Amino acid sequence: MLNPLLKNVLVAVNGSEASMHASMYGILLAKQLHVNLKAVFVVDTATLKQLTMTKLFVADESESYETNLVADGEHYLQYIIDLAKQKGVQIETELRKGAVWSEIIACADEFNADLILIGGRKINAYDSMRRNVISASRGEIISGAHCSVMVVRKSGLEQIFKQA
């Protein structure tokens, strides 16, 4: 008997439209394939610490900014929970702090993820080649993950999600 290829899927959320599309894709995947789904938002405290050490932020500014990022993360994760409920899908969420790429990989490992979904985006309109760009964190996730990683770029995903 062949074991299923996908059992646990992790969605990396950063609040961008691309990550929201990855979340919708994950919810639809969970609905169709009956996989376990988890969404993770990482507050980038590693960068905040670096900015404080280089004196670009003072400690109070860094703490205030971190508090705002935590609130944003909680908001985005709640939005994804609401989307999942609309489709009758159970989803686990987690807010973590640290370096984005390493926390996502650690979360995927702890969740025994078979797949990490990340949002893809295009370069701005000034790029004549209109190539897709992967940020440094996305690149680190792709190269460092211990499971498959999928960059979601499905066009018309919001409409597909509404119809599902």
Side-chain angles (χ1 to χ4, degrees), residues 5-14 18-19 21-27 29 35-42 96 99-120 134 137-153:
L5 291 175
L6 297 177
K7 188 175 179 182
N8 298 318
V9 176
L10 180 74
V11 181
V13 177
N14 65 8
S19 76
H21 285 172
S23 299
M24 290 176 190
Y25 193 95
I27 291 166
L29 201 64
V35 296
N36 300 314
L37 184 62
K38 182 173 184 172
V40 61
F41 183 98
V42 180
R96 296 174 78 118
V100 174
W101 67 272
S102 65
E103 289 299 322
I104 289 172
I105 291 171
C107 186
D109 290 347
E110 293 163 14
F111 186 56
N112 293 317
D114 303 300
L115 178 66
I116 300 172
L117 296 176
I118 57 177
I134 299 174
S137 288
R138 288 185 184 112
E140 292 290 345
I141 294 166
I142 290 168
S143 65
H146 304 113
C147 64
S148 296
V149 179
M150 181 177 174
V151 180
V152 176
R153 293 188 179 95

Side-chain angles (χ1 to χ4, degrees), residues 39-120:
V40 61
F41 183 98
V42 180
V43 175
D44 191 357
T45 55
T47 298
L48 292 176
K49 183 176 180 180
Q50 189 175 33
L51 291 171
T52 303
M53 288 175 23
T54 59
K55 309 281 190 226
L56 291 174
F57 274 1
V58 294
D60 289 345
E61 288 175 315
S62 181
E63 289 173 17
S64 174
Y65 199 69
E66 181 179 338
T67 300
N68 290 338
L69 289 173
V70 167
D72 288 348
E74 290 170 346
H75 170 78
Y76 293 126
L77 291 173
Q78 184 58 54
Y79 178 71
I80 293 166
I81 289 169
D82 294 342
L83 288 176
K85 282 181 184 175
Q86 289 176 21
K87 300 302 175 193
V89 171
Q90 290 276 51
I91 187 169
E92 182 181 339
T93 61
E94 184 175 353
L95 189 136
R96 296 174 78 118
K97 296 179 182 181
V100 174
W101 67 272
S102 65
E103 289 299 322
I104 289 172
I105 291 171
C107 186
D109 290 347
E110 293 163 14
F111 186 56
N112 293 317
D114 303 300
L115 178 66
I116 300 172
L117 296 176
I118 57 177

